[in-house]
Amino acid sequence: KNPIKNGTMIRAKIIDYPKPGRPIIVELIEEISSESNISEKVETVCHAYDIPVAIECQTSFDKNICLDNREDWRHLPFVTIDGNDAKDFDDALYVEHKANGYDVYVAIADVSHYVTPGSDLDKEARNRSTSVYFPGCVVPMLPEVLSNDLCSLVPHQDRYVMGVKVCLDLKGHVESYTLHEAIIHS
């Protein structure tokens, strides 16, 4: 049979899961479409599984980032730890070596700053429960201005985060940790 072209959407059955040094083995069930028709297929899948594409509630967000009662972690050289193929960048890390161990700072985008409990957007996000990922696109759980901008820890931008500072000894054992509302600049 002809080889499958890169970008072709298929339906497959897993025969054997991947193991170290060996890829996943699948049985081709059906060739669905080429990359040119993927957006059409995404719409079909969303409709078939009642995945709402449009976010119905009207929202607006203040794009100004203010310290208020947050800690200023912008001087720490955070790096995002999401992979190159990630659709969103919501995790960042900074590690500082100390004489007796390490201070590890973990920052997660603070969506709760923008989505208040009980709001229409909170209800819609709870109803969706997650973003839905397809090859080359995503149906986001939150409005694009949040998922791709204000709650994305993009480089060279101030962002609100929920953070944890973990103090480790030289063997990597946790000595203490503290939780923080902060602002970072990755």
Side-chain angles (χ1 to χ4, degrees):
K1 190 170 179 172
N2 293 333
I4 298 169
K5 293 179 185 169
N6 193 16
T8 301
M9 188 182 299
I10 64 166
R11 187 164 58 96
K13 177 181 176 185
I14 297 175
I15 303 300
D16 199 7
Y17 287 88
K19 294 183 174 79
R22 189 177 56 78
I24 189 170
I25 298 173
V26 299
E27 176 185 337
L28 176 65
I29 304 294
E30 173 186 12
E31 187 173 320
I32 298 173
S33 75
S34 66
E35 194 170 337
S36 62
N37 291 335
I38 285 181
S39 63
E40 184 179 298
K41 297 300 181 182
V42 166
E43 288 180 33
T44 302
V45 169
C46 288
H47 179 71
Y49 290 96
D50 292 324
I51 299 169
V53 177
I55 294 179
E56 299 299 325
C57 59
Q58 298 298 317
T59 55
S60 63
F61 304 98
D62 182 359
K63 292 189 175 193
N64 295 314
I65 305 293
C66 304
L67 267 178
D68 292 329
N69 295 323
R70 292 179 177 266
E71 292 182 42
D72 191 349
W73 285 4
R74 292 177 290 185
H75 63 286
L76 301 174
F78 275 91
V79 294
T80 58
I81 56 176
D82 300 284
N84 288 338
D85 61 348
K87 300 295 182 206
D88 50 19
F89 299 92
D90 51 9
D91 309 300
L93 185 69
Y94 167 67
V95 179
E96 187 175 328
H97 184 140
K98 302 282 190 171
N100 58 344
Y102 302 90
D103 288 344
V104 178
Y105 294 78
V106 179
I108 308 297
D110 186 4
V111 175
S112 68
H113 178 81
Y114 300 100
V115 182
T116 56
S119 67
D120 288 344
L121 184 55
D122 179 47
K123 291 173 188 168
E124 177 134 2
R126 285 175 185 264
N127 184 47
R128 289 170 178 264
S129 76
T130 186
S131 296
V132 180
Y133 297 91
F134 294 98
C137 70
V138 62
V139 177
M141 179 176 72
L142 297 169
E144 189 172 340
V145 68
L146 292 182
S147 59
N148 292 348
D149 186 10
L150 295 172
C151 294
S152 186
L153 304 181
V154 294
H156 315 297
Q157 297 290 321
D158 291 351
R159 291 292 183 253
Y160 293 123
V161 298
M162 297 301 291
V164 61
K165 178 183 176 186
V166 182
C167 299
L168 304 175
D169 65 19
L170 289 171
K171 292 185 178 184
H173 298 113
V174 175
E175 293 183 329
S176 65
Y177 64 90
T178 52
L179 303 175
H180 306 266
E181 290 183 346
I183 294 178
I184 70 165
H185 188 96
S186 68

